[in-house]
Amino acid sequence: RNEMKDEIDRVINQVLPDTEEKTAEIQQWMSSVVSRLNHYKAQHKALLKEATTLLELALWKANLDDNEGGIIEQEGVRTTRGRRKRARKEIC
């Protein structure tokens, strides 16, 4: 964020007042801003993918921990807490 703010400040306050061909300068600046935004979006996407993977692994492990006591859930069948409690009582 600060990097973009500094760049905006540089272009508006330093480059444009001294430039005769302002349109070309603005177009070049806009191109560099778009390029940086695309870079930041790619970084953000990579971080989201990593976070999603970690969350999926944590949920998978939590599900395994829930099933560890001999309660095996059938795929596609929703198991409520009440069913799990009853199943645990039946096992004991």
Side-chain angles (χ1 to χ4, degrees):
R1 195 184 300 188
N2 290 335
E3 186 179 332
M4 295 303 289
K5 185 178 177 186
D6 292 343
E7 181 67 15
I8 290 169
D9 183 54
R10 185 188 73 78
V11 170
I12 290 175
N13 297 325
Q14 296 169 9
V15 175
L16 286 180
D18 299 331
T19 304
E20 296 205 9
E21 188 60 40
K22 293 183 187 215
T23 302
E25 190 67 36
I26 290 171
Q27 287 174 340
Q28 181 183 2
W29 174 75
M30 288 174 57
S31 177
S32 72
V33 168
V34 168
S35 175
R36 283 192 185 153
L37 286 174
N38 287 334
H39 172 73
Y40 294 140
K41 284 179 8 181
Q43 281 183 327
H44 181 71
K45 186 176 180 178
L47 290 171
L48 284 177
K49 185 175 181 178
E50 181 181 353
T52 301
T53 301
L54 289 172
L55 179 60
E56 287 175 350
L57 289 171
L59 291 172
W60 181 72
K61 183 181 181 321
N63 192 26
L64 285 178
D65 290 345
D66 281 350
N67 292 333
E68 199 171 82
I71 306 165
I72 299 174
E73 297 180 21
Q74 296 175 2
E75 189 172 334
V77 176
R78 184 169 180 242
T79 304
T80 62
R81 282 189 218 155
R83 285 186 188 168
R84 287 188 203 139
K85 279 185 178 180
R86 285 190 295 276
R88 284 187 188 118
K89 285 180 184 177
E90 290 172 6
I91 290 172
C92 296

